[in-house]
Amino acid sequence: MHIHILGICGTFMGGLAALAREAGHKVTGCDAGVYPPMSDQLRSLGIELIEGFDANQMRLNPDVYVIGNVVSRARLANGSPKFPLMEAILESGATYTSGPQWLAEHVLHHPSQHRHVLAVAGTHGKTTTTSMLAWILQAAGLEPGFLVGGVPMNFGVSARLGRLSSEADVAAHKRTPFVIEADEYDTAFFDKRSKFVHYHPRTAILNNLEFDHADIFDNLAAIERQFHHLVRTVPGSGRVVVNADEDSLQRVLDQGCWSGIAKFGVSANARGMLHGPTGWSVQGEPDNFAVLHQGQEVGRVQWDITGVHNQLNALAAIAAAEHLGVSPAQAAASLTEFQNVRRRMEVRGTVPRAGGDITVYDDFAHHPTAIRTTVDGLRRKVGPKARILAVFEPRSNTMKLGTMKSQLPWSLEDADLAFCHSGGLDWDAVEALSPMGARASVAGSVDEVIAQVVAAAQAGDHVLCMSNGGFGGIHAKLLAALA
């Protein structure tokens, strides 16, 4: 089959392209400003990339066009279509589908395979938890397939098919695992359901749930409804792994659940219920903690990864892996060798200074809660006396709308100084950060941000850059300017 992917350089669509290529399909694709790292990964796989969405790509005549959710029916100021290729596809009557739909039909639930799909959903931590779970299953010898919205450093790729089912496996209903990051964002301009409703998992992780994606959801209740749609697709013999610390997820379950439930958490409020037969909790600090099941220690995790949020991610992954028969002790031990994901507290470099090196980090955090937990994780690692300089840009659609601007001072409480790139915002970042007083600085360009950080930086500082985009290459520029 020849598939042509519109919006191929996004993390999900790029991963889908890699899976399709590995499965033996011919894959081509297009995007605006074809960009790395996905463009480099795809070209290394021999996938032809075309710049833009021009209608002349119809000459490729693929069997099906796979449409990413970057594509819309939008018009430019002059009235011409923003995506002329999509208009041509519609006019011609050519076959098209969404990425999640194609993935479900041709990879996750193709008749030639018999897969146990494990879907990882949540406002935060999807990529990291998906990567942890895939690594636990790999260490257990299960050779899982996976599709992650990032690059797990244990694997070096964002997607792979994993072990394929033999005829004997299919005949015996022996399922091979496939772990997928399950995004609640909408599927395509013609399918406004969340992506994850297409995946039909047997194991579903509901890691957390807050309001996000203000561009497509009116309120938290609307997102809760989509999460319940995911729960509805899990079979009776399946398992829903749920964060017991989240009232929003309890409301999701209250709408109905017909599968086994495993609950995990770290808070004092949740701990009582976690001593029951399905409860998972922790004891100890984030870098060295016991894993408790029914109140009894069943494993221990020792690693260099920071943050209480990663304790929760680990619990979710361990509880999900146990559904496939991986013992908690084995799962916890394998996490000792987990190397995290690129752009998750990734050290991009250090600058030598008398009195202590300046360290520059890169992290994907962009939602206020994610920013807070990321800064908290670094604070726990470096201690109370070290200075943290938080450098961030409100780049997500939700943050650009200003929906959560009032939460930014709260999210940055543990940082000594904060530097905000305000370029492209329609709201006043100076006003939003005013409760922080002199601890916060705002600049309209990346170069201005760099100048502010360089002027403030001292020996031994930890400079934490947070964005869900490339941030104008700020990491390398900062390292050069600080040198």
Side-chain angles (χ1 to χ4, degrees), residues 212 364-368 370-371 393-396 399 408 466-468:
D212 197 6
F364 196 73
H366 52 280
H367 185 284
I371 292 172
E393 60 173 355
R395 182 184 175 276
S396 71
M399 294 305 294
L408 284 172
M466 294 174 283
S467 171
N468 68 342

Side-chain angles (χ1 to χ4, degrees), residues 266-279:
V266 297
S267 75
N269 291 335
R271 206 161 289 147
M273 74 177 74
L274 296 172
H275 285 191
T278 65

Side-chain angles (χ1 to χ4, degrees), residues 333-356:
S334 68
L335 288 177
T336 301
E337 298 181 0
F338 178 66
Q339 299 174 29
N340 216 331
V341 183
R342 288 178 187 164
R343 302 209 62 201
R344 298 319 188 266
M345 199 60 74
E346 180 180 359
V347 175
R348 292 296 296 269
T350 58
V351 178
R353 287 281 174 90

Side-chain angles (χ1 to χ4, degrees), residues 121-124 126 182-187 192-196 209-210 212-213 216-217 223 226-227:
T123 309
H124 317 292
K126 291 187 294 293
D183 187 4
E184 72 271 25
Y185 208 79
D186 61 1
T187 297
K192 306 312 286 184
R193 297 173 295 170
S194 291
K195 291 177 183 176
F196 55 40
L209 179 53
E210 292 188 68
D212 197 6
H213 308 308
I216 60 171
F217 293 115
I223 310 178
Q226 290 296 320
F227 270 65

Side-chain angles (χ1 to χ4, degrees), residues 290-304:
V291 176
L292 308 181
H293 187 220
Q294 302 178 40
Q296 302 297 314
E297 182 172 338
V298 292
R300 177 165 289 275
V301 176
Q302 293 177 278
W303 55 7
D304 293 328

Side-chain angles (χ1 to χ4, degrees), residues 143-370:
E143 301 178 67
F146 57 83
L147 174 53
V148 186
V151 181
M153 289 189 275
N154 289 87
F155 296 101
V157 293
S158 64
R160 77 174 192 191
L161 286 178
R163 185 175 68 84
L164 300 180
S165 300
S166 66
E167 290 184 7
D169 289 336
V170 175
H173 298 284
K174 184 177 180 181
R175 300 180 185 277
T176 58
F178 193 100
V179 189
I180 185 165
E181 181 172 329
D183 187 4
E184 72 271 25
Y185 208 79
D186 61 1
T187 297
F189 75 87
F190 50 86
D191 182 352
K192 306 312 286 184
R193 297 173 295 170
S194 291
K195 291 177 183 176
F196 55 40
V197 300
H198 295 275
Y199 301 155
H200 300 172
R202 302 190 74 82
T203 307
I205 291 176
L206 309 184
N207 217 4
N208 42 65
L209 179 53
E210 292 188 68
F211 183 63
D212 197 6
H213 308 308
D215 52 323
I216 60 171
F217 293 115
D218 292 333
N219 49 44
L220 179 57
I223 310 178
E224 290 174 1
R225 172 61 66 177
Q226 290 296 320
F227 270 65
H228 185 245
H229 290 168
L230 173 62
V231 170
R232 285 171 178 254
T233 67
V234 181
S237 60
R239 175 179 294 183
V240 180
V241 181
V242 184
N243 186 340
D245 295 336
E246 297 272 328
D247 292 340
S248 55
L249 292 178
Q250 185 57 52
R251 290 193 294 271
V252 169
L253 295 183
D254 288 345
Q255 295 180 50
C257 183
W258 302 268
S259 313
I261 297 174
K263 291 191 174 183
F264 66 95
V266 297
S267 75
N269 291 335
R271 206 161 289 147
M273 74 177 74
L274 296 172
H275 285 191
T278 65
W280 298 81
S281 56
V282 301
Q283 189 173 65
E285 291 300 310
D287 63 339
N288 185 350
F289 58 93
V291 176
L292 308 181
H293 187 220
Q294 302 178 40
Q296 302 297 314
E297 182 172 338
V298 292
R300 177 165 289 275
V301 176
Q302 293 177 278
W303 55 7
D304 293 328
I305 296 174
T306 61
V308 173
H309 59 294
N310 278 316
Q311 285 183 299
L312 287 164
N313 294 340
L315 280 178
I318 290 168
E322 198 257 354
H323 192 216
L324 272 76
V326 180
S327 74
Q330 182 180 7
S334 68
L335 288 177
T336 301
E337 298 181 0
F338 178 66
Q339 299 174 29
N340 216 331
V341 183
R342 288 178 187 164
R343 302 209 62 201
R344 298 319 188 266
M345 199 60 74
E346 180 180 359
V347 175
R348 292 296 296 269
T350 58
V351 178
R353 287 281 174 90
D357 294 350
I358 298 175
T359 306
V360 176
Y361 305 81
D362 181 18
D363 198 273
F364 196 73
H366 52 280
H367 185 284
T369 300

